[in-house]
Amino acid sequence: MDSAERIEWFLQRSYVQAGLRWLTRVNGHKESLLDDVFSSYDQPNMPLSKRVRYAIPHFFMDYFRSRIGTSKETAKKELFHHPGRRRALVATARSIGNYGLTRPQKFWGPLMVVWNFTNRCNLNCLHCYQNSTHEPLPDEMTLDKKYRAVDIMYDNDVVLLAFSGGEPLTEPTFWPVANYAYKKGLYVVVATNGTLLTKENCARMAETGVCYTEVSLDSLNPEVHNRFRGKDMWQHTVEGIKNSVAQKKFRTGIATTVTRLNFHELEDMIKFAKDLGCHKFCAFNFVPTGRGKDIVDQDLTPEMREEMLKILYKHLDEGKIDIMCTAPQIGRTCHEVNLLYGGLGNFATAHVATGKGSNAKMFAKYVGGCGAGRCYVALQPNGDWTPCVFMPNVIGNILKDDFRTWWETNEVLVSMRDRDDRSGGCLNCEYKLYCGGCRARPLGYYNDFKASDPGCVRNKDLWDSLAGGKEKEAQSEYERVPPSA
């Protein structure tokens, strides 16, 4: 057995799962024993009583740390003493303890929530999934209710809280709520159009506790970007990215929704992100939802998407910048490339994560592919839950529904966690554990989230039916688009 197989075997033992249930129990808002076990790991001033009490858990932590070849100092800094990652470990342990190892893994609560904090936005983008306007919705949550929403998410194992919108920086309550979430131990992310990332706001974001800022940029060509976002917005957005990168207390990434208008720029966009000093480049899958329905003719063909995935994997493998892609087919691409070359390179191990080697390959089997409704959900400005920001179906409300009952029994959530509750190619695909297909795309195209993803090259017949025989014409039109200046 290699180290990944040993970890898998160990976590499948009933006595281990019983131990994880005991270690992750909580009373009220107190931390679990496992939180204390992790935070006390290799602490020189730890009381003797704790040394004795936690001797066995610390022994196993050392055992697995040595198996994966990580030093104590690295394990402490990057894992056990890192608030966000420690919280993710505890959440995962609680999930395995209560549900066992499931494929895909069922979690005790969503590890990530994208909160459309307000419907207000200072722009009017053509592809906005939220249909944002220049004014907030009349039923958006009050400040007290927003604090209560954070408490509920904290109590139910949310690790990463991403503030989106609309434009979150247009909402005055963003600052106290984001700081409240940070102080509770959540990893705070801001998704922004970048136009409000002044030096002053970036400094304030650092003080507030923002850990990562993701800025939308549609093209290196100002004319193309402004076509999506509005006149003269490109310059403001790029200036905002530079201000964000200069603020060293949090990480910065560029996010691009890849369409036919910018597909030919993908390599240049990634290089641009690296040259600016960004930590991450995110390629967003186009989904026909919100105002995106009006530009559905700009969706990539399956062949274009395959080329996009190959480009992204190349840069992922180079390791010079973090790469993330919301197209779950990136999981299949990783496995196909590694199978082709007989290696253990990079694997997409979660909705927003990657890893390298046999351990990452094993983890991808449990946490890879589309995470909507399983390890990720979206929260709307009025407290409504939706399975994903690209899926407008309301499936509950954070303030009105008992969270545990909702999370365990909601029919849509239960279905989205079951990769066998599908139809067509996505049901029969050998990579369904690592991918599962995007659920928002078939919802947008067929009003059926269980249908197969028409954007995958393995479902090309579906795309041909949607395209009405115009795919070759669209492909040749793409090939005539000149590279960006």
Side-chain angles (χ1 to χ4, degrees), residues 256-326:
T256 299
T257 300
V258 184
T259 66
R260 296 183 190 185
L261 283 174
N262 58 20
F263 173 69
H264 60 283
E265 294 187 75
L266 185 56
E267 286 274 15
D268 292 337
M269 292 285 288
I270 296 172
K271 182 179 184 300
F272 185 69
K274 289 190 290 187
D275 290 346
L276 285 183
C278 292
H279 304 86
K280 182 179 288 189
F281 178 83
C282 306
F284 272 76
N285 215 11
F286 174 81
V287 178
T289 190
R291 289 200 287 272
K293 291 181 179 180
D294 297 330
I295 57 167
V296 69
D297 59 324
Q298 297 303 320
D299 195 0
L300 301 181
T301 67
E303 289 84 0
M304 291 178 186
R305 188 165 282 100
E306 284 298 292
E307 183 64 24
M308 175 190 79
L309 295 171
K310 290 176 183 177
I311 292 171
L312 294 173
Y313 185 86
K314 181 187 74 172
H315 288 277
L316 173 64
D317 203 43
E318 286 179 355
K320 294 180 180 179
I321 188 171
D322 290 345
I323 296 291
M324 193 270 278
C325 180
T326 64

Side-chain angles (χ1 to χ4, degrees), residues 100-118:
L101 279 177
T102 63
R103 301 182 189 179
Q105 184 61 47
K106 180 181 178 181
F107 287 93
W108 188 251
L111 300 184
M112 178 175 73
V113 171
V114 177
W115 189 351
N116 292 326
F117 197 66
T118 179

